[in-house]
Amino acid sequence: MATSTSSVVTLHINGEKFTLPVDHRTTLLDALRERLTLTGTKKGCDQGQCGACTVLLDGRRTVACLQLAVAAEGREITTIEGVAEGDLLHPVQQAFLDLDGFQCGYCTPGQICSAIGVLREHAEGRPSAVTDDIRPEAGPPPLTAEEIRERMSGNLCRCGAYVAIVDAVAKAAADLRTDGAAFVSEEGVA
C-alpha cells in the first residue's frame, strides 16, 4: 500500500496565509526560505544548535530547522519580516540598531526573534536556569545581564557581539515597559 509523502499545508506567516504542497520531511526553515522566499530567517548549522533560524511559533521561539513545516500548519508563525509594524521597528529591532547589537548581521534575525520570545517568557514569569526564586508567586525575576545571557544562550554570534546584544535586550525590555506594550499581546508579537 503506497502512502503519500507530501501534503498541501496552509501556513499562517506574519499575518498572511500561504498554501503550498510540501514533502513531509521539509523543515519550516526550508519552506520559509526556499518555497516562500522569506530569506530573513537564516540557515546556520541546520542542527538546532546556533539559533540563526529562530522564529516565533504561536509567540514562542523555536528553531525552524528542527520544526517540520507540516507540524506548523494552523499555527501563527512570525519571522523577522513580520516583527515590525510597517515602518515602525519593533523595540527589540530598534535597540539592536541603537546599541550595535550586531556585527556581520547574519545571526541578527534569529537573535531578534529570540529576544522577543525571551521578553515574553520573562514577562510571563517563566524562570531560567539562573533564576533564584522559581515560585510562581515570586513573579518575574529581575532581568539582569545574567538572566539575559542565560535566556539568549541558544543563539550564537560568531562575531562576538554578545555584550551589545545583552545591552540591546535590556534596553528593549525597558522600552517595552514604558511605551511599547502594543508590540506584546496574549498571543505574542502584535
Side-chain angles (χ1 to χ4, degrees):
M1 175 164 150
T3 60
S4 175
T5 60
S6 64
S7 297
V8 175
V9 297
T10 300
L11 300 175
H12 302 265
I13 305 167
N14 303 328
E16 295 183 48
K17 289 183 181 181
F18 298 89
T19 301
L20 65 155
V22 295
D23 183 288
H24 292 159
R25 299 166 293 182
T26 302
T27 64
L28 179 57
L29 174 62
D30 287 338
L32 292 170
R33 291 185 57 80
E34 306 302 326
R35 302 294 307 283
L36 299 172
T37 64
L38 292 168
T39 57
T41 304
K42 303 301 185 209
K43 184 178 275 200
C45 66
D46 219 14
Q47 298 176 18
Q49 296 179 355
C50 74
C53 66
T54 303
V55 298
L56 299 170
L57 193 61
D58 293 333
R60 303 267 185 224
R61 56 197 171 130
T62 190
V63 285
C65 71
L66 297 182
Q67 175 73 41
L68 293 176
V70 293
E73 183 169 30
R75 300 177 72 188
E76 292 299 322
I77 302 161
T78 304
T79 68
I80 191 66
E81 292 91 348
V83 300
E85 286 186 7
D87 291 337
L88 179 63
L89 294 179
H90 187 283
V92 173
Q93 291 174 302
Q94 190 62 56
F96 268 70
L97 283 173
D98 293 346
L99 299 175
D100 295 325
F102 55 91
Q103 285 184 28
C104 80
Y106 193 82
C107 72
T108 305
Q111 296 275 0
I112 289 171
C113 286
S114 188
I116 292 168
V118 160
L119 295 177
R120 179 175 186 214
E121 292 163 11
H122 177 263
E124 292 172 349
R126 295 178 62 200
S128 78
V130 298
T131 302
D132 288 330
D133 189 349
I134 62 169
R135 295 174 303 133
E137 59 271 14
L143 195 57
T144 63
E146 182 182 30
E147 276 285 341
I148 295 169
R149 280 193 299 272
E150 171 61 29
R151 291 169 185 266
M152 293 292 293
S153 65
N155 290 80
L156 302 179
C157 173
R158 288 168 177 89
C159 298
Y162 294 114
V163 172
I165 290 168
V166 169
D167 291 346
V169 174
K171 179 184 185 321
D175 292 348
L176 282 166
R177 278 193 301 273
T178 58
D179 62 18
F183 280 99
V184 179
S185 68
E186 289 295 313
E187 292 78 36
V189 179

